[in-house]
């Protein structure tokens, strides 16, 4: 409870609530969904995760953990609610937005063309996505870091992320069958869920720091909650939390953007 103000009073969370679109809500809904699944409330969990997944896509990574755990009820309800929300949108708006999204906008999002500003120095400075990492390296003078390389790196990252999600889910299954006590196991499961959500969100071509860091800051509180860190570990957590509160988007960015 003492760690809650660290997250909710931080500049990261404040700016996220102001200009961070649906990101913070998607994180919260997704974690609530997984907690509901963990408590056997598949219908409620499916409602929350289905809504998050059709709104932001990346929460779908948590479906991998449900598949590995063979939580067929959770998978079914998530798929059912996703279909309900999609059908409701289709009935309300018609087919044109869906067709345009698939044929026009989705390819432009994938290539980064939809976010043309991310290829300049100001955009790179606040972009925490994999695409943004390659762009940063380009402005630091590294070769073979053009837009095509950034797109390929993001695609490779997605493949690695799926493999990591499977490995994490299997690891949780092994811990559940071991000697780890129930409370610590629940905490570890929440850490994995939040870690996967954060990593999956970085797949997007443009992830500005105004909301990219919220998941990291939240995850740090869950790591600190384990309570077995020595002094050096506590210092590292404090430094990491402070770094996760430095937000340039929505704040002053000098022009030209300094290399650091």
């Amino acid at each position: 409870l003492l760690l809650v103000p660290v997250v909710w009073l931080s500049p990261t969370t404040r700016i996220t609530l102001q200009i961070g679109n649906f990101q913070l809500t998607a994180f919260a809904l997704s974690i609530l969904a997984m907690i509901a699944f963990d408590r056997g409330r598949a219908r409620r969990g499916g409602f929350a995760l289905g809504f998050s997944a059709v709104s932001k896509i990346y929460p779908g990574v948590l479906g991998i953990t449900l598949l590995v755990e063979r939580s067929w009820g959770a998978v079914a309800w998530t798929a059912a609610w996703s279909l309900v929300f999609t059908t409701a949108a289709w009935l309300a708006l018609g087919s044109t937005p869906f067709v345009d999204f698939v044929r026009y906008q989705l390819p432009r999002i994938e290539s980064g063309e939809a976010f043309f500003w991310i290829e300049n120095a100001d955009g790179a400075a606040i972009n925490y996505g994999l695409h943004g990492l390659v762009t940063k390296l380009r402005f630091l003078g590294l070769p073979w870091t053009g837009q095509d390389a950034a797109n390929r790196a993001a695609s490779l990252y997605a493949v690695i992320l799926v493999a990591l999600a499977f490995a994490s889910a299997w690891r949780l299954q092994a811990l559940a069958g071991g000697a780890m006590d129930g409370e610590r196991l629940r905490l570890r499961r929440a850490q994995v869920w939040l870690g996967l959500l954060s990593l999956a969100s970085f797949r997007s071509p443009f992830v500005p720091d105004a909301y990219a860091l919220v998941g990291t800051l939240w995850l740090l509180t869950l790591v600190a909650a384990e309570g077995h860190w020595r002094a050096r570990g506590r210092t590292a957590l404090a430094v990491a939390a402070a770094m996760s509160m430095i937000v340039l988007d929505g704040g002053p960015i000098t022009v030209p953007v300094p290399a650091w």
Side-chain angles (χ1 to χ4, degrees), residues 30-196:
S30 299
I31 296 299
L32 286 172
M34 298 304 288
I35 293 173
F37 291 143
D38 207 41
R39 296 180 176 179
R41 299 173 180 176
R43 183 167 55 184
R44 297 181 184 181
F47 179 93
L49 187 58
F51 186 79
S52 298
V54 298
S55 301
K56 269 294 190 180
I57 301 178
Y58 68 80
V61 71
L62 296 177
I64 295 176
T65 65
L66 299 177
L67 290 172
V68 173
E69 294 172 354
R70 299 180 181 179
S71 300
W72 307 126
V75 173
W77 276 112
T78 300
W81 278 116
S82 299
L83 181 61
V84 167
F85 292 129
T86 303
T87 302
W90 187 293
L91 293 175
L93 304 173
S95 62
T96 301
F98 290 87
V99 174
D100 290 347
F101 179 74
V102 172
R103 292 183 177 179
Y104 176 74
Q105 190 66 9
L106 192 59
R108 296 177 75 245
I109 293 175
E110 177 67 20
S111 66
E113 185 181 356
F115 311 107
F116 57 89
W117 61 87
I118 67 177
E119 296 301 324
N120 59 45
D122 291 346
I126 62 174
N127 190 356
Y128 273 61
L130 257 289
H131 194 288
L133 175 60
V134 178
T135 308
K136 287 183 175 76
L137 296 176
R138 183 195 315 155
F139 283 106
L140 289 175
L142 271 70
W144 306 301
T145 53
Q147 185 173 352
D148 290 340
N151 293 335
R152 288 194 295 270
S155 298
L156 177 60
Y157 175 76
V159 175
I160 296 174
L161 178 63
V162 170
L164 179 63
F166 274 106
S168 300
W170 281 321
R171 176 60 176 164
L172 286 177
Q173 287 288 85
L175 291 176
M180 181 175 287
D181 65 85
E183 182 176 353
R184 188 168 295 277
L185 178 60
R186 286 192 295 272
L187 178 59
R188 184 58 48 82
R189 288 167 64 82
Q191 291 169 345
V192 170
W193 297 335
L194 192 51
L196 289 175

Side-chain angles (χ1 to χ4, degrees), residues 194-211:
L194 192 51
L196 289 175
L197 274 177
S198 296
L199 291 173
S201 71
F202 298 147
R203 169 59 181 85
S204 173
F206 185 55
V207 194
D209 57 7
Y211 52 79

